[in-house]
PDB file of all heavy atoms in Angstrom:
ATOM      1  N   LYS B  90      74.568 102.873  85.293  1.00 86.00           N
ATOM      2  CA  LYS B  90      74.236 103.584  84.049  1.00 86.00           C
ATOM      3  C   LYS B  90      74.826 104.989  84.069  1.00 86.00           C
ATOM      4  O   LYS B  90      75.311 105.486  83.052  1.00 86.00           O
ATOM      5  CB  LYS B  90      72.729 103.657  83.867  1.00 86.00           C
ATOM      6  CG  LYS B  90      72.113 102.337  83.421  1.00 86.00           C
ATOM      7  CD  LYS B  90      70.626 102.504  83.130  1.00 86.00           C
ATOM      8  CE  LYS B  90      70.027 101.175  82.696  1.00 86.00           C
ATOM      9  NZ  LYS B  90      68.566 101.273  82.465  1.00 86.00           N
ATOM     10  N   LYS B  91      74.758 105.617  85.217  1.00 85.00           N
ATOM     11  CA  LYS B  91      75.318 106.965  85.350  1.00 85.00           C
ATOM     12  C   LYS B  91      76.807 106.916  85.697  1.00 85.00           C
ATOM     13  O   LYS B  91      77.458 107.952  85.800  1.00 85.00           O
ATOM     14  CB  LYS B  91      74.564 107.747  86.418  1.00 85.00           C
ATOM     15  CG  LYS B  91      73.131 108.082  86.039  1.00 85.00           C
ATOM     16  CD  LYS B  91      72.487 108.977  87.088  1.00 85.00           C
ATOM     17  CE  LYS B  91      71.060 109.345  86.671  1.00 85.00           C
ATOM     18  NZ  LYS B  91      70.410 110.205  87.697  1.00 85.00           N
ATOM     19  N   GLN B  92      77.335 105.727  85.896  1.00 90.00           N
ATOM     20  CA  GLN B  92      78.745 105.556  86.248  1.00 90.00           C
ATOM     21  C   GLN B  92      79.112 106.357  87.483  1.00 90.00           C
ATOM     22  O   GLN B  92      80.122 107.077  87.500  1.00 90.00           O
ATOM     23  CB  GLN B  92      79.645 105.937  85.051  1.00 90.00           C
ATOM     24  CG  GLN B  92      79.441 105.017  83.871  1.00 90.00           C
ATOM     25  CD  GLN B  92      80.065 105.525  82.586  1.00 90.00           C
ATOM     26  OE1 GLN B  92      79.856 104.950  81.533  1.00 90.00           O
ATOM     27  NE2 GLN B  92      80.823 106.596  82.636  1.00 90.00           N
ATOM     28  N   GLN B  93      78.260 106.243  88.488  1.00 92.00           N
ATOM     29  CA  GLN B  93      78.544 106.976  89.710  1.00 92.00           C
ATOM     30  C   GLN B  93      78.039 106.238  90.940  1.00 92.00           C
ATOM     31  O   GLN B  93      77.172 105.377  90.857  1.00 92.00           O
ATOM     32  CB  GLN B  93      77.928 108.376  89.653  1.00 92.00           C
ATOM     33  CG  GLN B  93      76.416 108.406  89.650  1.00 92.00           C
ATOM     34  CD  GLN B  93      75.891 109.832  89.519  1.00 92.00           C
ATOM     35  OE1 GLN B  93      76.471 110.668  88.825  1.00 92.00           O
ATOM     36  NE2 GLN B  93      74.800 110.124  90.196  1.00 92.00           N
ATOM     37  N   SER B  94      78.641 106.606  92.054  1.00 93.00           N
ATOM     38  CA  SER B  94      78.247 106.037  93.336  1.00 93.00           C
ATOM     39  C   SER B  94      78.108 107.180  94.337  1.00 93.00           C
ATOM     40  O   SER B  94      78.758 108.221  94.205  1.00 93.00           O
ATOM     41  CB  SER B  94      79.313 105.052  93.823  1.00 93.00           C
ATOM     42  OG  SER B  94      78.998 104.571  95.117  1.00 93.00           O
ATOM     43  N   SER B  95      77.239 106.977  95.306  1.00 94.00           N
ATOM     44  CA  SER B  95      77.059 107.968  96.364  1.00 94.00           C
ATOM     45  C   SER B  95      77.191 107.295  97.716  1.00 94.00           C
ATOM     46  O   SER B  95      76.710 106.164  97.906  1.00 94.00           O
ATOM     47  CB  SER B  95      75.683 108.637  96.257  1.00 94.00           C
ATOM     48  OG  SER B  95      75.584 109.392  95.066  1.00 94.00           O
ATOM     49  N   LEU B  96      77.845 107.975  98.632  1.00 95.00           N
ATOM     50  CA  LEU B  96      78.011 107.498 100.009  1.00 95.00           C
ATOM     51  C   LEU B  96      77.179 108.386 100.909  1.00 95.00           C
ATOM     52  O   LEU B  96      77.269 109.609 100.834  1.00 95.00           O
ATOM     53  CB  LEU B  96      79.487 107.560 100.413  1.00 95.00           C
ATOM     54  CG  LEU B  96      79.846 106.940 101.764  1.00 95.00           C
ATOM     55  CD1 LEU B  96      79.806 105.408 101.666  1.00 95.00           C
ATOM     56  CD2 LEU B  96      81.238 107.386 102.207  1.00 95.00           C
ATOM     57  N   TYR B  97      76.345 107.783 101.746  1.00 95.00           N
ATOM     58  CA  TYR B  97      75.426 108.524 102.605  1.00 95.00           C
ATOM     59  C   TYR B  97      75.864 108.385 104.062  1.00 95.00           C
ATOM     60  O   TYR B  97      75.919 107.276 104.591  1.00 95.00           O
ATOM     61  CB  TYR B  97      74.006 107.987 102.444  1.00 95.00           C
ATOM     62  CG  TYR B  97      73.528 107.958 101.019  1.00 95.00           C
ATOM     63  CD1 TYR B  97      73.646 106.791 100.258  1.00 95.00           C
ATOM     64  CD2 TYR B  97      72.958 109.086 100.418  1.00 95.00           C
ATOM     65  CE1 TYR B  97      73.219 106.759  98.942  1.00 95.00           C
ATOM     66  CE2 TYR B  97      72.532 109.052  99.104  1.00 95.00           C
ATOM     67  CZ  TYR B  97      72.662 107.890  98.369  1.00 95.00           C
ATOM     68  OH  TYR B  97      72.239 107.858  97.064  1.00 95.00           O
ATOM     69  N   LEU B  98      76.164 109.516 104.672  1.00 95.00           N
ATOM     70  CA  LEU B  98      76.479 109.546 106.100  1.00 95.00           C
ATOM     71  C   LEU B  98      75.220 110.011 106.827  1.00 95.00           C
ATOM     72  O   LEU B  98      74.796 111.162 106.676  1.00 95.00           O
ATOM     73  CB  LEU B  98      77.642 110.508 106.381  1.00 95.00           C
ATOM     74  CG  LEU B  98      78.928 110.298 105.567  1.00 95.00           C
ATOM     75  CD1 LEU B  98      79.995 111.294 105.989  1.00 95.00           C
ATOM     76  CD2 LEU B  98      79.443 108.880 105.733  1.00 95.00           C
ATOM     77  N   THR B  99      74.615 109.119 107.589  1.00 93.00           N
ATOM     78  CA  THR B  99      73.340 109.411 108.244  1.00 93.00           C
ATOM     79  C   THR B  99      73.554 109.586 109.732  1.00 93.00           C
ATOM     80  O   THR B  99      74.256 108.782 110.359  1.00 93.00           O
ATOM     81  CB  THR B  99      72.358 108.257 108.000  1.00 93.00           C
ATOM     82  OG1 THR B  99      72.242 108.028 106.585  1.00 93.00           O
ATOM     83  CG2 THR B  99      70.983 108.580 108.562  1.00 93.00           C
ATOM     84  N   ALA B 100      72.951 110.627 110.291  1.00 94.00           N
ATOM     85  CA  ALA B 100      73.069 110.897 111.731  1.00 94.00           C
ATOM     86  C   ALA B 100      74.536 110.825 112.146  1.00 94.00           C
ATOM     87  O   ALA B 100      74.923 110.018 112.994  1.00 94.00           O
ATOM     88  CB  ALA B 100      72.223 109.898 112.527  1.00 94.00           C
ATOM     89  N   SER B 101      75.346 111.670 111.529  1.00 95.00           N
ATOM     90  CA  SER B 101      76.796 111.570 111.660  1.00 95.00           C
ATOM     91  C   SER B 101      77.272 111.618 113.111  1.00 95.00           C
ATOM     92  O   SER B 101      76.695 112.292 113.957  1.00 95.00           O
ATOM     93  CB  SER B 101      77.471 112.667 110.846  1.00 95.00           C
ATOM     94  OG  SER B 101      77.022 113.933 111.268  1.00 95.00           O
ATOM     95  N   GLN B 102      78.337 110.870 113.346  1.00 94.00           N
ATOM     96  CA  GLN B 102      78.982 110.824 114.662  1.00 94.00           C
ATOM     97  C   GLN B 102      80.371 111.442 114.536  1.00 94.00           C
ATOM     98  O   GLN B 102      80.919 111.549 113.437  1.00 94.00           O
ATOM     99  CB  GLN B 102      79.104 109.363 115.114  1.00 94.00           C
ATOM    100  CG  GLN B 102      77.786 108.621 115.132  1.00 94.00           C
ATOM    101  CD  GLN B 102      77.974 107.117 115.316  1.00 94.00           C
ATOM    102  OE1 GLN B 102      79.040 106.648 115.703  1.00 94.00           O
ATOM    103  NE2 GLN B 102      76.933 106.350 115.030  1.00 94.00           N
ATOM    104  N   LEU B 103      80.943 111.809 115.669  1.00 96.00           N
ATOM    105  CA  LEU B 103      82.282 112.410 115.657  1.00 96.00           C
ATOM    106  C   LEU B 103      83.289 111.483 114.984  1.00 96.00           C
ATOM    107  O   LEU B 103      84.215 111.933 114.302  1.00 96.00           O
ATOM    108  CB  LEU B 103      82.731 112.735 117.081  1.00 96.00           C
ATOM    109  CG  LEU B 103      81.903 113.772 117.832  1.00 96.00           C
ATOM    110  CD1 LEU B 103      82.419 113.933 119.264  1.00 96.00           C
ATOM    111  CD2 LEU B 103      81.911 115.113 117.110  1.00 96.00           C
ATOM    112  N   SER B 104      83.099 110.180 115.153  1.00 94.00           N
ATOM    113  CA  SER B 104      84.038 109.197 114.593  1.00 94.00           C
ATOM    114  C   SER B 104      83.986 109.137 113.074  1.00 94.00           C
ATOM    115  O   SER B 104      84.841 108.505 112.448  1.00 94.00           O
ATOM    116  CB  SER B 104      83.740 107.807 115.162  1.00 94.00           C
ATOM    117  OG  SER B 104      82.429 107.410 114.806  1.00 94.00           O
ATOM    118  N   TYR B 105      82.997 109.770 112.480  1.00 96.00           N
ATOM    119  CA  TYR B 105      82.911 109.760 111.020  1.00 96.00           C
ATOM    120  C   TYR B 105      83.906 110.738 110.370  1.00 96.00           C
ATOM    121  O   TYR B 105      84.077 110.733 109.155  1.00 96.00           O
ATOM    122  CB  TYR B 105      81.504 110.123 110.556  1.00 96.00           C
ATOM    123  CG  TYR B 105      80.460 109.061 110.785  1.00 96.00           C
ATOM    124  CD1 TYR B 105      80.778 107.869 111.434  1.00 96.00           C
ATOM    125  CD2 TYR B 105      79.148 109.249 110.370  1.00 96.00           C
ATOM    126  CE1 TYR B 105      79.820 106.894 111.651  1.00 96.00           C
ATOM    127  CE2 TYR B 105      78.180 108.282 110.583  1.00 96.00           C
ATOM    128  CZ  TYR B 105      78.512 107.115 111.216  1.00 96.00           C
ATOM    129  OH  TYR B 105      77.554 106.161 111.427  1.00 96.00           O
TER     130      TYR B 105
END
Side-chain angles (χ1 to χ4, degrees):
Chain B
K90 285 185 180 177
K91 292 186 178 179
Q92 296 167 188
Q93 67 183 36
S94 175
S95 295
L96 187 74
Y97 306 95
L98 307 182
T99 305
S101 58
Q102 304 169 15
L103 297 177
S104 61
Y105 288 3

